[in-house]
């Protein structure tokens, strides 16, 4: 809806004028043959940023995670992940079907599990599944947990557990730059603690398409074979890769503004009677909030919000998610908060 304040996700961001210019100038070639200079530039820049040997540009985070899981495991294996993670939830059916692995989920507040929980999952899973754990995956930031940041110290302890059990640690870093900007931990530190890492260009960074999967050269070879098998071989992908590279060079530091806007929205929401912010304190760009006393159903709420020009994601009504991003300014936050107050209080109901 043009003109709406779109807080559904940071995937709705549109390419900025500078990004479009970079894309229009991109040198391209046949990327499936490894001949697209813009794709290669993006992969090399990304690998250097995280201190990894190699990177692979893929069309989506879902494909990046799937390639990682399939590269690290064999059919019948078990992987450990938070139960609420993207890998276990939305990607679960694809991972089970296409990589043929089972997922041992850890229920952890905000999706941040401990090294001890990983150790017991590694020990317990074989008893249930008669199969071995072959991979541990952590999501940073954790989407369903409310954009929570995995503390580096916890990741280091998890890595030690993985090392003891000879297991790789994969980071679903779909929003790793939000984690980095919020915590001050460098991308290279996240690269060092993990064996493989996927990050998305098409979320808060504002790139048009794609994600990058990083790891050793050997891992990339394995993961690339998986990508090619499932149709991930792209041709003149440099046009979109150039947008991604522009995002890496220009849109990382500004994520701090999104975090500030998310905190401002959370504080306004907390002031609305009957509304409770769930993920307090808000760590990055995601605000989860509950309408504790709903006096209308989801379709009516949606209609009211759409009419007033605010778009939200529901996370199981009456739980909602608002995500700040590059298309949202301070004024949008004030307007969205005013609208939500109208809709969630008597003032809003009287106008239905
Ligand atoms: C944590 C996380 N991982 C992976 C993905 C998948 O990314 P994509 O939508 O590019 O497939 C998402 C998408 O929202 C996500 O939030």
């Amino acid at each position: 809806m043009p003109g709406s304040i779109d807080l559904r996700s940071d995937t709705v961001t549109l390419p900025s004028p500078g990004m479009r210019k970079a894309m229009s100038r991109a040198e391209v070639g046949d990327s499936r043959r490894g001949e697209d200079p813009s794709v290669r530039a993006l992969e090399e820049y990304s690998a250097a940023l995280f201190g990894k040997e190699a990177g692979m540009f893929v069309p989506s985070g879902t494909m990046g995670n799937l390639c990682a899981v399939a590269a690290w495991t064999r059919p019948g294996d078990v992987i450990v992940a938070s139960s609420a993670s993207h890998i276990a939830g939305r990607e679960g059916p694809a991972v089970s079907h296409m990589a043929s692995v089972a997922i041992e989920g850890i229920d952890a507040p905000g999706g941040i599990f401990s090294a001890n929980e990983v150790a017991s999952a590694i020990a317990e899973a074989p008893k249930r599944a008669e199969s071995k754990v072959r991979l541990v995956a952590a999501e940073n930031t954790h989407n369903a947990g409310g954009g929570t940041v995995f503390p580096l110290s916890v990741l280091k302890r998890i890595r030690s557990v993985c090392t003891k059990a000879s297991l790789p640690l994969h980071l679903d870093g779909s929003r790793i730059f939000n984690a980095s900007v919020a915590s001050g931990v460098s991308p290279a530190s996240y690269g060092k603690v993990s064996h493989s890492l996927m990050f998305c260009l098409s979320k808060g960074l504002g790139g048009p398409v794609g994600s990058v999967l990083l790891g050793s050269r050997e891992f990339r070879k394995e993961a690339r074979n998986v990508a090619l098998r499932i149709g991930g071989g792209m041709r003149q992908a440099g046009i979109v890769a150039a947008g991604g590279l522009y995002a890496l060079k220009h849109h990382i530091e500004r994520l701090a503004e999104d975090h500030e806007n998310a905190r401002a929205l959370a504080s306004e929401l907390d002031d609305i009677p009957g509304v409770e912010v769930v993920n307090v304190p808000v760590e990055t760009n995601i605000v989860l909030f509950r309408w504790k006393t709903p006096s209308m159903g989801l379709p009516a709420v949606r209609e009211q919000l759409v009419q007033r020009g605010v778009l939200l994601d529901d996370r199981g009504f009456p739980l909602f998610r608002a995500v700040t991003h590059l298309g949202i300014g301070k004024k949008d936050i004030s307007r969205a908060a005013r609208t939500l107050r109208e809709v969630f209080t008597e003032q809003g109901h009287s106008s239905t």
Side-chain angles (χ1 to χ4, degrees):
M1 266 69 43
S4 291
I5 301 171
D6 196 343
L7 296 166
R8 289 172 301 166
S9 175
D10 45 13
T11 56
V12 301
T13 49
L14 300 175
S16 56
M19 185 180 285
R20 282 182 186 271
K21 204 181 259 181
M23 290 163 71
S24 71
R25 289 178 180 162
E27 265 186 75
V28 294
D30 189 338
S31 177
R32 198 187 192 284
R33 294 172 190 267
E35 293 170 6
D36 188 305
S38 300
V39 169
R40 282 172 42 182
L42 170 66
E43 291 175 342
E44 281 162 23
Y45 187 89
S46 304
L49 199 56
F50 285 87
K52 290 290 191 199
E53 280 179 6
M56 172 172 70
F57 182 48
V58 285
S60 66
T62 300
M63 189 180 278
N65 280 335
L66 176 60
C67 290
V69 172
W72 285 125
T73 61
R74 290 293 166 263
D77 288 343
V78 178
I79 69 168
V80 170
S82 112
S83 324
S85 64
H86 212 269
I87 286 188
R90 194 157 289 199
E91 296 166 30
V95 161
S96 314
H97 170 62
M98 296 170 91
S100 302
V101 296
I103 300 170
E104 176 78 9
I106 301 179
D107 292 326
I112 310 298
F113 46 72
S114 68
N116 281 345
E117 285 172 309
V118 171
S120 47
I122 293 169
E124 291 304 313
K127 294 181 199 161
R128 272 197 289 279
E130 287 164 13
S131 211
K132 279 201 165 169
V133 171
R134 298 282 183 202
L135 175 69
V136 175
E139 187 175 306
N140 191 20
T141 66
H142 199 285
N143 180 352
T148 38
V149 178
F150 235 111
L152 185 63
S153 55
V154 178
L155 286 173
K156 282 182 177 169
R157 287 198 285 276
I158 291 171
R159 165 77 186 230
S160 299
V161 168
C162 288
T163 304
K164 244 186 236 158
S166 305
L167 294 177
L169 173 62
H170 173 69
L171 275 192
D172 174 349
S174 184
R175 295 182 178 79
I176 197 81
F177 293 104
N178 294 89
S180 174
V181 165
S183 63
V185 171
S186 67
S189 302
Y190 289 130
K192 192 169 175 200
V193 81
S194 58
H195 295 85
S196 60
L197 186 151
M198 180 283 290
F199 73 83
C200 291
L201 296 157
S202 56
K203 300 206 162 64
L205 290 184
V209 175
S211 298
V212 181
L213 178 62
L214 300 162
S216 67
R217 268 184 218 99
E218 200 189 331
F219 167 79
R220 185 194 189 275
K221 204 168 151 205
E222 193 72 32
R224 182 162 158 82
N225 285 339
V226 179
L228 296 183
R229 278 204 294 276
I230 58 176
M234 297 185 280
R235 303 299 181 178
Q236 286 71 38
I239 292 178
V240 280
L245 186 55
Y246 181 93
L248 285 177
K249 290 182 177 170
H250 297 94
H251 291 172
I252 295 179
E253 282 79 20
R254 64 148 309 284
L255 292 172
E257 291 169 36
D258 298 343
H259 301 169
E260 208 180 295
N261 284 337
R263 283 193 294 272
L265 180 65
S267 121
E268 299 250 21
L269 287 171
D270 236 9
D271 245 21
I272 302 175
V275 172
E276 175 188 47
V277 176
V278 175
N279 58 325
V280 183
V282 167
E283 293 183 50
T284 54
N285 67 331
I286 297 179
V287 184
L288 298 174
F289 61 96
R290 186 175 288 113
W291 187 18
K292 289 188 292 181
T293 50
S295 52
M296 54 181 149
L298 181 60
V301 175
R302 273 236 181 88
E303 200 188 308
Q304 292 241 356
L305 288 171
V306 168
Q307 272 173 11
R308 292 163 154 94
V310 173
L311 307 181
L312 283 182
D313 221 12
D314 89 274
R315 291 276 144 175
F317 182 77
L319 184 69
F320 293 92
R321 185 183 79 161
V323 186
T324 55
H325 53 77
L326 139 92
I328 301 291
K330 282 195 170 46
K331 279 191 189 147
D332 298 318
I333 295 295
S334 313
R335 205 183 108 200
R338 251 194 331 271
T339 301
L340 291 167
R341 181 179 288 273
E342 280 169 20
V343 171
F344 291 136
T345 60
E346 293 303 324
Q347 214 182 325
H349 306 181
S350 58
S351 65
T352 48

